[in-house]
Amino acid sequence: MISKNMQNVFNIGLVPLISLDDADDAVVLAQTLVKGGIPVAEVTFRTAAGLAAIEKMAAQVPEIIVGAGTVHDVEHVRQAVAAGAKFIVTPGFNAAVVKWCINNDVDVIPGTVSPADVEAAMAMGLDVCKFFPAEAYGGVKTLKAFSGPFGKMKFMPTGGVNEENMLEYFSLGNVAAVGGSFMVPAAAVKAKDWKKIEQLCLHIIGKMFGFELAHVGINCTNAAQADSIAGRLSEIFLQEKAEYSGAYFAGNIAEVLKAPFLGEKGHLCIDTNDMVRAVAYFTRKGIKFNNDTWIKDEQGRPQVVYLAEEIGGFCVHLRQKSK
């Protein structure tokens, strides 16, 4: 069963891989990740500063979920947990580390690359594994193949995952999150260019969400007015006019409501690649929803919801893109 802690990580969707040479950079980097909308960090034991960096982040930046990566043995796990790490990530399947974490209620994501690794993880009751090095071991194709025999297992691909291919991984139903250093380039860390890292993180999560204007909603006083407006828009812009119970559509340009609805002027429909993570992101940002407007699928996943606030006289509703 996936813990609330790890579900929060997976709702963020992106797990930056952090290797610091100077632990004094840990706090400002953690604050930068929070500002950049990715409040999670897998701090590796690849450098001597790793343990101190975990401790500083956990103690001084409570908004971030700090984990320890490149963990090879139980002693490193003990040190990381004592320092404040909330999850453990290993490069390969290490049964001793996994067993210790299970026995001590510590979230662990062990590295796997083969069916044998995944079987071993399943035998120990795990629901999520790291898939590393992802690109070297077949990437998306391998994870697609895993979805058959290992239908209940989720993966966090890392290694060769980057801004250019991350959406391919996110399109897979068995990907819980993606990890990598591409969100926090080593050169930017070395230069202490925190603004660049913040902007890059915002850019990457924007690409993950893929927000797009789907249509504009226009409020009318009656059906005849809606018919006229939709007809004119369809005529001018060579769109097909379609009638539904409460509105006319002029192609994908406009939804013309037969009666006043939410918003002084109407509404904006914004599509996203990932409603679940977008809702989690907005919630972290303190953005409220109109709780009377949720539409969910059979699995309880949100498909449509309106924001509580109006912007420029328009309500805004978020909608899951068709897959």
PDB file of all heavy atoms in Angstrom, residues 24-61:
ATOM      1  N   ASP A  24      26.198  23.701   2.615  1.00  0.00           N
ATOM      2  CA  ASP A  24      25.693  25.043   2.873  1.00  0.00           C
ATOM      3  C   ASP A  24      24.732  25.518   1.782  1.00  0.00           C
ATOM      4  O   ASP A  24      24.010  26.504   1.972  1.00  0.00           O
ATOM      5  CB  ASP A  24      26.855  26.038   2.994  1.00  0.00           C
ATOM      6  CG  ASP A  24      27.630  25.858   4.296  1.00  0.00           C
ATOM      7  OD1 ASP A  24      27.067  25.258   5.237  1.00  0.00           O
ATOM      8  OD2 ASP A  24      28.788  26.308   4.367  1.00  0.00           O
ATOM      9  N   ASP A  25      24.729  24.824   0.645  1.00  0.00           N
ATOM     10  CA  ASP A  25      23.796  25.164  -0.433  1.00  0.00           C
ATOM     11  C   ASP A  25      22.444  24.468  -0.266  1.00  0.00           C
ATOM     12  O   ASP A  25      21.509  24.747  -1.031  1.00  0.00           O
ATOM     13  CB  ASP A  25      24.377  24.757  -1.791  1.00  0.00           C
ATOM     14  CG  ASP A  25      25.569  25.611  -2.201  1.00  0.00           C
ATOM     15  OD1 ASP A  25      25.644  26.768  -1.754  1.00  0.00           O
ATOM     16  OD2 ASP A  25      26.420  25.110  -2.965  1.00  0.00           O
ATOM     17  N   ALA A  26      22.334  23.584   0.702  1.00  0.00           N
ATOM     18  CA  ALA A  26      21.151  22.729   0.809  1.00  0.00           C
ATOM     19  C   ALA A  26      19.874  23.518   1.056  1.00  0.00           C
ATOM     20  O   ALA A  26      18.850  23.283   0.404  1.00  0.00           O
ATOM     21  CB  ALA A  26      21.352  21.694   1.917  1.00  0.00           C
ATOM     22  N   VAL A  27      19.915  24.444   1.988  1.00  0.00           N
ATOM     23  CA  VAL A  27      18.695  25.166   2.372  1.00  0.00           C
ATOM     24  C   VAL A  27      18.183  26.036   1.234  1.00  0.00           C
ATOM     25  O   VAL A  27      16.996  26.009   0.886  1.00  0.00           O
ATOM     26  CB  VAL A  27      18.929  26.000   3.645  1.00  0.00           C
ATOM     27  CG1 VAL A  27      17.740  26.923   3.908  1.00  0.00           C
ATOM     28  CG2 VAL A  27      19.163  25.082   4.833  1.00  0.00           C
ATOM     29  N   VAL A  28      19.066  26.820   0.633  1.00  0.00           N
ATOM     30  CA  VAL A  28      18.626  27.698  -0.449  1.00  0.00           C
ATOM     31  C   VAL A  28      18.142  26.881  -1.649  1.00  0.00           C
ATOM     32  O   VAL A  28      17.190  27.275  -2.336  1.00  0.00           O
ATOM     33  CB  VAL A  28      19.737  28.700  -0.844  1.00  0.00           C
ATOM     34  CG1 VAL A  28      20.933  28.000  -1.460  1.00  0.00           C
ATOM     35  CG2 VAL A  28      19.177  29.759  -1.804  1.00  0.00           C
ATOM     36  N   LEU A  29      18.758  25.723  -1.901  1.00  0.00           N
ATOM     37  CA  LEU A  29      18.302  24.881  -2.998  1.00  0.00           C
ATOM     38  C   LEU A  29      16.911  24.313  -2.705  1.00  0.00           C
ATOM     39  O   LEU A  29      16.040  24.289  -3.576  1.00  0.00           O
ATOM     40  CB  LEU A  29      19.292  23.744  -3.257  1.00  0.00           C
ATOM     41  CG  LEU A  29      18.891  22.753  -4.359  1.00  0.00           C
ATOM     42  CD1 LEU A  29      18.591  23.472  -5.663  1.00  0.00           C
ATOM     43  CD2 LEU A  29      19.985  21.711  -4.562  1.00  0.00           C
ATOM     44  N   ALA A  30      16.711  23.885  -1.466  1.00  0.00           N
ATOM     45  CA  ALA A  30      15.392  23.367  -1.087  1.00  0.00           C
ATOM     46  C   ALA A  30      14.332  24.461  -1.223  1.00  0.00           C
ATOM     47  O   ALA A  30      13.229  24.211  -1.726  1.00  0.00           O
ATOM     48  CB  ALA A  30      15.424  22.836   0.346  1.00  0.00           C
ATOM     49  N   GLN A  31      14.652  25.664  -0.792  1.00  0.00           N
ATOM     50  CA  GLN A  31      13.718  26.787  -0.919  1.00  0.00           C
ATOM     51  C   GLN A  31      13.441  27.093  -2.392  1.00  0.00           C
ATOM     52  O   GLN A  31      12.305  27.434  -2.767  1.00  0.00           O
ATOM     53  CB  GLN A  31      14.284  28.016  -0.217  1.00  0.00           C
ATOM     54  CG  GLN A  31      14.361  27.872   1.294  1.00  0.00           C
ATOM     55  CD  GLN A  31      15.170  28.961   1.962  1.00  0.00           C
ATOM     56  OE1 GLN A  31      16.029  29.600   1.320  1.00  0.00           O
ATOM     57  NE2 GLN A  31      14.943  29.195   3.242  1.00  0.00           N
ATOM     58  N   THR A  32      14.456  26.930  -3.218  1.00  0.00           N
ATOM     59  CA  THR A  32      14.299  27.159  -4.652  1.00  0.00           C
ATOM     60  C   THR A  32      13.355  26.135  -5.269  1.00  0.00           C
ATOM     61  O   THR A  32      12.507  26.479  -6.099  1.00  0.00           O
ATOM     62  CB  THR A  32      15.668  27.097  -5.351  1.00  0.00           C
ATOM     63  OG1 THR A  32      16.502  28.143  -4.841  1.00  0.00           O
ATOM     64  CG2 THR A  32      15.536  27.251  -6.857  1.00  0.00           C
ATOM     65  N   LEU A  33      13.486  24.879  -4.869  1.00  0.00           N
ATOM     66  CA  LEU A  33      12.593  23.847  -5.378  1.00  0.00           C
ATOM     67  C   LEU A  33      11.148  24.112  -4.972  1.00  0.00           C
ATOM     68  O   LEU A  33      10.223  23.906  -5.765  1.00  0.00           O
ATOM     69  CB  LEU A  33      13.049  22.472  -4.878  1.00  0.00           C
ATOM     70  CG  LEU A  33      14.353  21.946  -5.472  1.00  0.00           C
ATOM     71  CD1 LEU A  33      14.779  20.666  -4.754  1.00  0.00           C
ATOM     72  CD2 LEU A  33      14.215  21.675  -6.966  1.00  0.00           C
ATOM     73  N   VAL A  34      10.958  24.578  -3.751  1.00  0.00           N
ATOM     74  CA  VAL A  34       9.599  24.914  -3.297  1.00  0.00           C
ATOM     75  C   VAL A  34       9.032  26.050  -4.146  1.00  0.00           C
ATOM     76  O   VAL A  34       7.896  25.978  -4.630  1.00  0.00           O
ATOM     77  CB  VAL A  34       9.605  25.289  -1.807  1.00  0.00           C
ATOM     78  CG1 VAL A  34       8.230  25.825  -1.388  1.00  0.00           C
ATOM     79  CG2 VAL A  34       9.982  24.083  -0.948  1.00  0.00           C
ATOM     80  N   LYS A  35       9.819  27.099  -4.358  1.00  0.00           N
ATOM     81  CA  LYS A  35       9.363  28.217  -5.188  1.00  0.00           C
ATOM     82  C   LYS A  35       9.102  27.769  -6.620  1.00  0.00           C
ATOM     83  O   LYS A  35       8.204  28.289  -7.289  1.00  0.00           O
ATOM     84  CB  LYS A  35      10.421  29.332  -5.190  1.00  0.00           C
ATOM     85  CG  LYS A  35      10.589  30.056  -3.868  1.00  0.00           C
ATOM     86  CD  LYS A  35      11.708  31.088  -3.966  1.00  0.00           C
ATOM     87  CE  LYS A  35      11.962  31.777  -2.644  1.00  0.00           C
ATOM     88  NZ  LYS A  35      13.122  32.717  -2.731  1.00  0.00           N
ATOM     89  N   GLY A  36       9.882  26.806  -7.089  1.00  0.00           N
ATOM     90  CA  GLY A  36       9.740  26.303  -8.451  1.00  0.00           C
ATOM     91  C   GLY A  36       8.637  25.285  -8.619  1.00  0.00           C
ATOM     92  O   GLY A  36       8.452  24.742  -9.717  1.00  0.00           O
ATOM     93  N   GLY A  37       7.878  25.020  -7.554  1.00  0.00           N
ATOM     94  CA  GLY A  37       6.730  24.137  -7.655  1.00  0.00           C
ATOM     95  C   GLY A  37       7.028  22.658  -7.566  1.00  0.00           C
ATOM     96  O   GLY A  37       6.146  21.827  -7.806  1.00  0.00           O
ATOM     97  N   ILE A  38       8.271  22.298  -7.203  1.00  0.00           N
ATOM     98  CA  ILE A  38       8.632  20.883  -7.081  1.00  0.00           C
ATOM     99  C   ILE A  38       9.210  20.665  -5.676  1.00  0.00           C
ATOM    100  O   ILE A  38      10.432  20.562  -5.485  1.00  0.00           O
ATOM    101  CB  ILE A  38       9.662  20.459  -8.150  1.00  0.00           C
ATOM    102  CG1 ILE A  38       9.183  20.869  -9.549  1.00  0.00           C
ATOM    103  CG2 ILE A  38       9.899  18.948  -8.097  1.00  0.00           C
ATOM    104  CD1 ILE A  38      10.162  20.530 -10.665  1.00  0.00           C
ATOM    105  N   PRO A  39       8.367  20.599  -4.662  1.00  0.00           N
ATOM    106  CA  PRO A  39       8.846  20.524  -3.273  1.00  0.00           C
ATOM    107  C   PRO A  39       9.242  19.119  -2.836  1.00  0.00           C
ATOM    108  O   PRO A  39       8.727  18.576  -1.865  1.00  0.00           O
ATOM    109  CB  PRO A  39       7.642  21.042  -2.482  1.00  0.00           C
ATOM    110  CG  PRO A  39       6.458  20.609  -3.287  1.00  0.00           C
ATOM    111  CD  PRO A  39       6.890  20.713  -4.728  1.00  0.00           C
ATOM    112  N   VAL A  40      10.165  18.524  -3.561  1.00  0.00           N
ATOM    113  CA  VAL A  40      10.673  17.198  -3.212  1.00  0.00           C
ATOM    114  C   VAL A  40      12.115  17.120  -3.685  1.00  0.00           C
ATOM    115  O   VAL A  40      12.491  17.748  -4.682  1.00  0.00           O
ATOM    116  CB  VAL A  40       9.808  16.076  -3.859  1.00  0.00           C
ATOM    117  CG1 VAL A  40       9.824  16.177  -5.368  1.00  0.00           C
ATOM    118  CG2 VAL A  40      10.261  14.696  -3.416  1.00  0.00           C
ATOM    119  N   ALA A  41      12.935  16.368  -2.969  1.00  0.00           N
ATOM    120  CA  ALA A  41      14.338  16.227  -3.348  1.00  0.00           C
ATOM    121  C   ALA A  41      14.848  14.852  -2.942  1.00  0.00           C
ATOM    122  O   ALA A  41      14.634  14.423  -1.801  1.00  0.00           O
ATOM    123  CB  ALA A  41      15.189  17.303  -2.678  1.00  0.00           C
ATOM    124  N   GLU A  42      15.479  14.171  -3.869  1.00  0.00           N
ATOM    125  CA  GLU A  42      16.201  12.938  -3.563  1.00  0.00           C
ATOM    126  C   GLU A  42      17.681  13.298  -3.482  1.00  0.00           C
ATOM    127  O   GLU A  42      18.342  13.488  -4.500  1.00  0.00           O
ATOM    128  CB  GLU A  42      15.965  11.885  -4.648  1.00  0.00           C
ATOM    129  CG  GLU A  42      16.737  10.594  -4.411  1.00  0.00           C
ATOM    130  CD  GLU A  42      16.727   9.661  -5.617  1.00  0.00           C
ATOM    131  OE1 GLU A  42      15.789   9.744  -6.435  1.00  0.00           O
ATOM    132  OE2 GLU A  42      17.674   8.854  -5.740  1.00  0.00           O
ATOM    133  N   VAL A  43      18.166  13.454  -2.267  1.00  0.00           N
ATOM    134  CA  VAL A  43      19.555  13.866  -2.047  1.00  0.00           C
ATOM    135  C   VAL A  43      20.419  12.608  -1.989  1.00  0.00           C
ATOM    136  O   VAL A  43      20.196  11.728  -1.156  1.00  0.00           O
ATOM    137  CB  VAL A  43      19.694  14.671  -0.742  1.00  0.00           C
ATOM    138  CG1 VAL A  43      21.135  15.116  -0.544  1.00  0.00           C
ATOM    139  CG2 VAL A  43      18.761  15.879  -0.759  1.00  0.00           C
ATOM    140  N   THR A  44      21.406  12.543  -2.859  1.00  0.00           N
ATOM    141  CA  THR A  44      22.186  11.316  -2.981  1.00  0.00           C
ATOM    142  C   THR A  44      23.362  11.273  -2.002  1.00  0.00           C
ATOM    143  O   THR A  44      23.851  12.307  -1.531  1.00  0.00           O
ATOM    144  CB  THR A  44      22.753  11.162  -4.407  1.00  0.00           C
ATOM    145  OG1 THR A  44      23.849  12.074  -4.593  1.00  0.00           O
ATOM    146  CG2 THR A  44      21.683  11.424  -5.446  1.00  0.00           C
ATOM    147  N   PHE A  45      23.804  10.052  -1.762  1.00  0.00           N
ATOM    148  CA  PHE A  45      25.010   9.808  -0.974  1.00  0.00           C
ATOM    149  C   PHE A  45      26.245   9.744  -1.864  1.00  0.00           C
ATOM    150  O   PHE A  45      27.257   9.175  -1.477  1.00  0.00           O
ATOM    151  CB  PHE A  45      24.864   8.503  -0.184  1.00  0.00           C
ATOM    152  CG  PHE A  45      24.180   8.671   1.153  1.00  0.00           C
ATOM    153  CD1 PHE A  45      22.824   8.434   1.287  1.00  0.00           C
ATOM    154  CD2 PHE A  45      24.889   9.065   2.267  1.00  0.00           C
ATOM    155  CE1 PHE A  45      22.187   8.572   2.511  1.00  0.00           C
ATOM    156  CE2 PHE A  45      24.277   9.219   3.500  1.00  0.00           C
ATOM    157  CZ  PHE A  45      22.915   8.974   3.619  1.00  0.00           C
ATOM    158  N   ARG A  46      26.163  10.313  -3.056  1.00  0.00           N
ATOM    159  CA  ARG A  46      27.305  10.280  -3.972  1.00  0.00           C
ATOM    160  C   ARG A  46      28.423  11.215  -3.539  1.00  0.00           C
ATOM    161  O   ARG A  46      29.547  11.115  -4.023  1.00  0.00           O
ATOM    162  CB  ARG A  46      26.852  10.643  -5.396  1.00  0.00           C
ATOM    163  CG  ARG A  46      25.859   9.663  -5.993  1.00  0.00           C
ATOM    164  CD  ARG A  46      25.412  10.107  -7.378  1.00  0.00           C
ATOM    165  NE  ARG A  46      24.350   9.270  -7.903  1.00  0.00           N
ATOM    166  CZ  ARG A  46      23.737   9.452  -9.060  1.00  0.00           C
ATOM    167  NH1 ARG A  46      24.121  10.459  -9.837  1.00  0.00           N
ATOM    168  NH2 ARG A  46      22.770   8.643  -9.456  1.00  0.00           N
ATOM    169  N   THR A  47      28.080  12.183  -2.678  1.00  0.00           N
ATOM    170  CA  THR A  47      29.094  13.112  -2.186  1.00  0.00           C
ATOM    171  C   THR A  47      29.119  13.091  -0.665  1.00  0.00           C
ATOM    172  O   THR A  47      28.155  12.669  -0.013  1.00  0.00           O
ATOM    173  CB  THR A  47      28.806  14.559  -2.651  1.00  0.00           C
ATOM    174  OG1 THR A  47      27.623  15.030  -1.987  1.00  0.00           O
ATOM    175  CG2 THR A  47      28.600  14.622  -4.157  1.00  0.00           C
ATOM    176  N   ALA A  48      30.208  13.599  -0.116  1.00  0.00           N
ATOM    177  CA  ALA A  48      30.354  13.628   1.349  1.00  0.00           C
ATOM    178  C   ALA A  48      29.362  14.576   2.005  1.00  0.00           C
ATOM    179  O   ALA A  48      29.086  14.458   3.203  1.00  0.00           O
ATOM    180  CB  ALA A  48      31.790  14.041   1.702  1.00  0.00           C
ATOM    181  N   ALA A  49      28.814  15.506   1.220  1.00  0.00           N
ATOM    182  CA  ALA A  49      27.888  16.501   1.777  1.00  0.00           C
ATOM    183  C   ALA A  49      26.450  15.994   1.840  1.00  0.00           C
ATOM    184  O   ALA A  49      25.573  16.680   2.373  1.00  0.00           O
ATOM    185  CB  ALA A  49      27.943  17.782   0.944  1.00  0.00           C
ATOM    186  N   GLY A  50      26.193  14.808   1.322  1.00  0.00           N
ATOM    187  CA  GLY A  50      24.828  14.304   1.203  1.00  0.00           C
ATOM    188  C   GLY A  50      24.068  14.250   2.511  1.00  0.00           C
ATOM    189  O   GLY A  50      22.944  14.758   2.619  1.00  0.00           O
ATOM    190  N   LEU A  51      24.648  13.650   3.521  1.00  0.00           N
ATOM    191  CA  LEU A  51      23.962  13.475   4.795  1.00  0.00           C
ATOM    192  C   LEU A  51      23.654  14.819   5.455  1.00  0.00           C
ATOM    193  O   LEU A  51      22.530  15.051   5.923  1.00  0.00           O
ATOM    194  CB  LEU A  51      24.790  12.600   5.735  1.00  0.00           C
ATOM    195  CG  LEU A  51      24.117  12.228   7.058  1.00  0.00           C
ATOM    196  CD1 LEU A  51      22.843  11.425   6.804  1.00  0.00           C
ATOM    197  CD2 LEU A  51      25.085  11.431   7.940  1.00  0.00           C
ATOM    198  N   ALA A  52      24.633  15.707   5.479  1.00  0.00           N
ATOM    199  CA  ALA A  52      24.417  17.026   6.077  1.00  0.00           C
ATOM    200  C   ALA A  52      23.371  17.817   5.297  1.00  0.00           C
ATOM    201  O   ALA A  52      22.580  18.564   5.879  1.00  0.00           O
ATOM    202  CB  ALA A  52      25.730  17.804   6.131  1.00  0.00           C
ATOM    203  N   ALA A  53      23.344  17.645   3.972  1.00  0.00           N
ATOM    204  CA  ALA A  53      22.361  18.340   3.146  1.00  0.00           C
ATOM    205  C   ALA A  53      20.950  17.874   3.482  1.00  0.00           C
ATOM    206  O   ALA A  53      20.012  18.680   3.580  1.00  0.00           O
ATOM    207  CB  ALA A  53      22.661  18.109   1.668  1.00  0.00           C
ATOM    208  N   ILE A  54      20.774  16.566   3.669  1.00  0.00           N
ATOM    209  CA  ILE A  54      19.472  16.020   4.064  1.00  0.00           C
ATOM    210  C   ILE A  54      19.028  16.637   5.387  1.00  0.00           C
ATOM    211  O   ILE A  54      17.881  17.073   5.546  1.00  0.00           O
ATOM    212  CB  ILE A  54      19.548  14.484   4.173  1.00  0.00           C
ATOM    213  CG1 ILE A  54      19.728  13.856   2.795  1.00  0.00           C
ATOM    214  CG2 ILE A  54      18.300  13.925   4.858  1.00  0.00           C
ATOM    215  CD1 ILE A  54      20.056  12.378   2.823  1.00  0.00           C
ATOM    216  N   GLU A  55      19.944  16.666   6.334  1.00  0.00           N
ATOM    217  CA  GLU A  55      19.622  17.176   7.668  1.00  0.00           C
ATOM    218  C   GLU A  55      19.212  18.650   7.621  1.00  0.00           C
ATOM    219  O   GLU A  55      18.232  19.057   8.245  1.00  0.00           O
ATOM    220  CB  GLU A  55      20.823  16.990   8.596  1.00  0.00           C
ATOM    221  CG  GLU A  55      20.532  17.313  10.047  1.00  0.00           C
ATOM    222  CD  GLU A  55      21.661  16.886  10.965  1.00  0.00           C
ATOM    223  OE1 GLU A  55      22.801  16.739  10.484  1.00  0.00           O
ATOM    224  OE2 GLU A  55      21.392  16.702  12.170  1.00  0.00           O
ATOM    225  N   LYS A  56      19.941  19.457   6.851  1.00  0.00           N
ATOM    226  CA  LYS A  56      19.640  20.878   6.755  1.00  0.00           C
ATOM    227  C   LYS A  56      18.293  21.118   6.069  1.00  0.00           C
ATOM    228  O   LYS A  56      17.476  21.934   6.514  1.00  0.00           O
ATOM    229  CB  LYS A  56      20.757  21.605   5.996  1.00  0.00           C
ATOM    230  CG  LYS A  56      22.056  21.772   6.781  1.00  0.00           C
ATOM    231  CD  LYS A  56      23.135  22.408   5.921  1.00  0.00           C
ATOM    232  CE  LYS A  56      24.436  22.599   6.685  1.00  0.00           C
ATOM    233  NZ  LYS A  56      24.335  23.681   7.686  1.00  0.00           N
ATOM    234  N   MET A  57      18.053  20.398   4.969  1.00  0.00           N
ATOM    235  CA  MET A  57      16.785  20.567   4.258  1.00  0.00           C
ATOM    236  C   MET A  57      15.599  20.191   5.142  1.00  0.00           C
ATOM    237  O   MET A  57      14.607  20.925   5.232  1.00  0.00           O
ATOM    238  CB  MET A  57      16.764  19.710   2.989  1.00  0.00           C
ATOM    239  CG  MET A  57      17.608  20.220   1.847  1.00  0.00           C
ATOM    240  SD  MET A  57      17.367  19.180   0.364  1.00  0.00           S
ATOM    241  CE  MET A  57      18.453  20.008  -0.803  1.00  0.00           C
ATOM    242  N   ALA A  58      15.712  19.030   5.781  1.00  0.00           N
ATOM    243  CA  ALA A  58      14.607  18.526   6.597  1.00  0.00           C
ATOM    244  C   ALA A  58      14.319  19.443   7.780  1.00  0.00           C
ATOM    245  O   ALA A  58      13.158  19.661   8.145  1.00  0.00           O
ATOM    246  CB  ALA A  58      14.927  17.119   7.087  1.00  0.00           C
ATOM    247  N   ALA A  59      15.361  20.000   8.376  1.00  0.00           N
ATOM    248  CA  ALA A  59      15.192  20.818   9.578  1.00  0.00           C
ATOM    249  C   ALA A  59      14.741  22.240   9.267  1.00  0.00           C
ATOM    250  O   ALA A  59      13.976  22.828  10.031  1.00  0.00           O
ATOM    251  CB  ALA A  59      16.503  20.859  10.366  1.00  0.00           C
ATOM    252  N   GLN A  60      15.199  22.786   8.139  1.00  0.00           N
ATOM    253  CA  GLN A  60      14.989  24.210   7.898  1.00  0.00           C
ATOM    254  C   GLN A  60      13.983  24.544   6.795  1.00  0.00           C
ATOM    255  O   GLN A  60      13.576  25.700   6.666  1.00  0.00           O
ATOM    256  CB  GLN A  60      16.334  24.871   7.569  1.00  0.00           C
ATOM    257  CG  GLN A  60      17.341  24.759   8.709  1.00  0.00           C
ATOM    258  CD  GLN A  60      18.642  25.472   8.418  1.00  0.00           C
ATOM    259  OE1 GLN A  60      18.640  26.631   8.005  1.00  0.00           O
ATOM    260  NE2 GLN A  60      19.760  24.793   8.640  1.00  0.00           N
ATOM    261  N   VAL A  61      13.580  23.543   6.004  1.00  0.00           N
ATOM    262  CA  VAL A  61      12.599  23.788   4.933  1.00  0.00           C
ATOM    263  C   VAL A  61      11.494  22.738   5.052  1.00  0.00           C
ATOM    264  O   VAL A  61      11.474  21.743   4.324  1.00  0.00           O
ATOM    265  CB  VAL A  61      13.260  23.743   3.536  1.00  0.00           C
ATOM    266  CG1 VAL A  61      12.272  24.248   2.474  1.00  0.00           C
ATOM    267  CG2 VAL A  61      14.527  24.579   3.510  1.00  0.00           C
TER     268      VAL A  61
END
